[in-house]
Amino acid sequence: MITEEIALLLVIGLVIVALAVLFTFVPVALWISAWAAGVKVGIFQLVGMRLRRVIPHRVVNPLIKAVKAGLDISTNKLEGHYLAGGNVDRVVNALIAAQRANIDLTFERCAAIDLAGRDVLEAVQMSVNPKVIETPFIAGVAMDGIEVKAKARITVRANIDRLVGGAGEETIIARVGEGIVSTIGSANDHKEVLENPDMISQTVLKKGLDAGTAFEILSIDIADIDIGKNIGAGLQTDQAEADKKIAQAKAEERRAMAVAQEQEMKARVEEMRAKVVEAEAEVPMAMSEALRSGNFGVMDYMNYNNIKADTDMRDSIGKATKGEEEDEDEMKY
C-alpha cells in the first residue's frame, strides 16, 4: 500500500515537472492568444523560434496586430527582421500607420529604414503631420557693416523614399543657416532686411535646400530678427589701430637710426679731435726745428705766444657769455 502511494506521488511529481518544462519552453499561452485572434501559428513553430533564440512574443504579438489591421505579413519575414536586429513591433506599427494614411510603404522598405537606424514610425507620422525645426540665432553682416541676427522655423515633411541614405535635420539647419547668411550679406542696407524679413525666407526657399536629405521643406518662416554689432565700424577701428602701431614702429625705427647716426657722428668728432691733438703735438717740434735752422726768430716766437694767449682769453670770455645766456633762458622757462 505504501509502495503504491509513493509511486503515485512520483508520477504526480513527474507530471508537474513535465508541465512546468512544457509551459516554460513552449509558450502555450501565446499560442492560445494567437489561435483566439485567428493567427495561424503552430506549436512547433513556436518551439522552432525558441531553438533559433527568437523571443516568440516579440514576433507573435506584432503578427496578431498586423493581422487584425488587415496586413498580409508572414511569420518568416517578421522572424528574419528580428534576427537581423530590427524592431519588429515598430515596423508593424509603421505599416499600420502608413496603411491608414494611404501611404504606399512595403514591408521590405520599412524594414530597411528600421535597420538603417531611423525611426520608421516617426517618419510615417511626420509624413502625415509635418515637423517644425527651429534654428538658433544665425548672424549675417549686411553691406553697410551692421550685423543682423535671424531665427527661422523650418516646416519639413519626411520623404520616405530618401530615408535610407538621406541627410538629417543637422544638414537642413546648416543649409538654411548658410542661405540666411548669404541673403543678409547681399543686402545693401540692414534696414532692408528689417523692413522685409520675408525676403530671407523666399530667397532661401528657392535654393532647393532639401536636395539629398530625408525631408521635404514645406516652408521657411522668420520667427525673430534682431540687430547685432556694428562689425564694419569695429573692423575699421581695428585697422586704424593696426595702422597706428605700424606707424609707431616705423617712427621708432627712424628714431633708433637717428640715435645711431648721432652716436656715429660723435665718434667721428672724437676721431677728428684726436687728429687735431696729434697735429698740435707736432707744432712744438716744428717750431724747435725752425728755431735751430734760423727760419723762426725769438720775436716771432713771442708774437706767437701773445696771439695764442689772446685766443685763449677770447675763448674763455665766449664760454662764460654762452653759459650766462643759457642760465637766463632756464630762468625764463
Side-chain angles (χ1 to χ4, degrees):
M1 190 68 180
I2 297 174
T3 305
E4 292 179 355
E5 290 179 355
I6 294 173
L8 180 62
L9 291 175
L10 288 175
V11 170
I12 293 173
L14 290 174
V15 171
I16 292 174
V17 171
L19 290 175
V21 172
L22 177 65
F23 281 101
T24 301
F25 192 74
V26 180
V28 178
L30 185 63
W31 175 77
I32 295 173
S33 299
W35 178 79
V39 178
K40 297 180 180 179
V41 179
I43 287 290
F44 292 105
Q45 248 182 319
L46 297 177
V47 173
M49 289 182 188
R50 290 284 193 188
L51 295 175
R52 289 187 291 272
R53 295 185 179 181
V54 176
I55 301 175
H57 72 86
R58 295 283 182 88
V59 175
V60 176
N61 287 335
L63 181 62
I64 294 172
K65 192 187 304 182
V67 171
K68 286 299 182 182
L71 298 177
D72 185 14
I73 304 175
S74 66
T75 308
N76 291 331
K77 288 184 178 181
L78 296 179
E79 190 176 345
H81 186 63
Y82 176 83
L83 290 173
N87 190 322
V88 179
D89 191 61
R90 187 164 55 192
V91 168
V92 171
N93 289 337
L95 288 172
I96 294 172
Q99 183 192 41
R100 296 293 185 268
N102 198 22
I103 298 174
D104 186 15
L105 181 63
T106 62
F107 175 81
E108 288 73 17
R109 179 174 291 276
C110 193
I113 294 172
D114 183 63
L115 292 177
R118 294 189 180 274
D119 192 337
V120 63
L121 178 59
E122 182 183 356
V124 173
Q125 292 173 346
M126 196 185 302
S127 297
V128 179
N129 185 21
K131 180 181 180 180
V132 177
I133 303 173
E134 186 168 321
T135 67
F137 270 108
I138 299 170
V141 181
M143 290 186 181
D144 59 353
I146 303 299
E147 182 185 37
V148 180
K149 300 178 180 179
K151 179 188 289 186
R153 286 193 177 97
I154 313 163
T155 305
V156 297
R157 180 171 58 197
N159 191 331
I160 296 178
D161 294 333
R162 293 203 302 257
L163 275 177
V164 178
E169 295 182 11
E170 293 80 7
T171 303
I172 293 289
I173 294 175
R175 290 181 180 180
V176 171
E178 181 182 355
I180 290 175
V181 172
S182 176
T183 305
I184 295 175
S186 61
N188 294 323
D189 193 341
H190 71 283
K191 296 179 181 177
E192 296 179 6
V193 182
L194 295 178
E195 292 172 358
N196 188 18
D198 189 51
M199 65 179 289
I200 299 177
S201 58
Q202 291 178 358
T203 305
V204 174
L205 196 58
K206 292 178 182 177
K207 293 180 178 293
L209 303 178
D210 54 2
T213 65
F215 303 98
E216 178 185 352
I217 297 178
L218 301 178
S219 66
I220 299 175
D221 304 302
I222 302 301
D224 193 7
I225 193 166
D226 196 6
I227 296 295
K229 300 178 181 178
N230 191 338
I231 303 297
L235 292 175
Q236 291 177 359
T237 303
D238 294 341
Q239 184 62 42
E241 185 68 22
D243 293 341
K244 185 183 77 171
K245 290 182 179 179
I246 292 173
Q248 289 177 344
K250 290 182 178 179
E252 183 65 23
E253 181 182 358
R254 290 194 298 268
R255 190 191 69 81
M257 290 179 64
V259 170
Q261 188 176 7
E262 180 183 4
Q263 295 299 323
E264 184 180 353
M265 295 304 295
K266 288 182 178 179
R268 292 183 64 185
V269 168
E270 293 298 326
E271 182 183 357
M272 297 305 294
R273 285 180 179 174
K275 290 182 179 181
V276 170
V277 171
E278 183 181 358
E280 289 178 348
E282 295 178 356
V283 171
M285 296 175 62
M287 291 178 65
S288 299
E289 183 63 27
L291 286 171
R292 281 193 297 269
S293 61
N295 294 328
F296 193 69
V298 176
M299 294 303 296
D300 295 329
Y301 178 72
M302 295 299 293
N303 290 332
Y304 166 76
N305 287 333
N306 289 333
I307 293 172
K308 184 177 180 182
D310 185 59
T311 301
D312 292 339
M313 181 183 67
R314 293 177 183 273
D315 288 340
S316 300
I317 295 172
K319 290 180 180 179
T321 305
K322 184 177 180 180
E324 292 177 357
E325 291 177 354
E326 290 178 355
D327 293 338
E328 290 178 358
D329 291 339
E330 289 178 0
M331 292 177 65
K332 287 180 181 180
Y333 289 108

